[in-house]
């Protein structure tokens, strides 16, 4: 079982994907599973923190759409995944997320990968 799914099952139960009357759900995680900051980081680098991610079940269609958009971002920006034969990490990128709090205040979060730093 993937770490993200295991975490959601632990906290929400085995029926998390089918318990919402609005329709089927899937696990969504952040940092993205496709990054070195993601849920799989510990399996690639045992010294990395284990279970260092957030997960939440969201509608299956939204999760699929988000994955498609992320894949297009990687492709359009030629983000390379993995390490070269000498162990050098793939391409890092900076992500700015603009959000608005319920009080109307805006905030920005910056994340980079695969270095593992965020502010």
């Amino acid at each position: 079982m993937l770490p993200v799914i295991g975490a959601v099952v632990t906290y929400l139960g085995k029926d998390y994907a089918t318990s919402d009357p609005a329709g089927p759900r899937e696990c969504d995680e952040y940092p993205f599973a496709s990054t070195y900051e993601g849920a799989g980081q510990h399996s690639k680098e045992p010294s990395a923190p284990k279970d260092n991610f957030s997960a939440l079940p969201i509608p299956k269609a939204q999760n699929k759409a988000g994955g498609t958009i992320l894949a297009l971002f990687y492709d359009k920006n030629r983000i390379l995944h993995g390490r070269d034969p000498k162990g050098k990490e793939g391409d890092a990128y900076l992500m700015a997320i603009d959000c608005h709090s319920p009080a109307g205040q805006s905030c920005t979060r910056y994340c980079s990968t695969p270095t593992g730093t965020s502010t």
Side-chain angles (χ1 to χ4, degrees):
M1 182 179 300
L2 297 172
V4 172
I5 295 172
V8 172
V9 167
T10 297
Y11 292 103
L12 300 178
K14 292 180 182 179
D15 66 341
Y16 76 90
T18 58
S19 62
D20 190 341
R25 300 185 296 175
E26 290 182 340
C27 290
D28 191 28
E29 70 286 331
Y30 191 83
F32 308 122
S34 58
T35 68
Y36 286 114
E37 292 178 336
Q41 182 185 19
H42 180 75
S43 66
K44 297 176 192 111
E45 299 177 23
S47 63
K50 188 175 181 183
D51 297 336
N52 190 22
F53 58 86
S54 296
L56 188 68
I58 64 170
K60 186 176 182 176
Q62 287 181 12
N63 197 35
K64 184 175 180 176
T68 298
I69 291 167
L70 184 60
L72 290 170
F73 165 77
Y74 288 158
D75 187 53
K76 182 177 180 180
N77 293 284
R78 299 182 180 183
I79 303 293
L80 301 176
H81 178 69
R83 297 175 185 266
D84 69 16
K86 294 181 180 180
K88 183 179 176 188
E89 294 177 343
D91 293 335
Y93 61 91
L94 181 69
M95 181 184 345
I97 302 171
D98 287 329
C99 56
H100 297 280
S101 72
Q105 300 169 331
S106 64
C107 61
T108 302
R109 301 281 189 260
Y110 294 96
C111 303
S112 64
T113 189
T115 62
T117 60
S118 63
T119 57

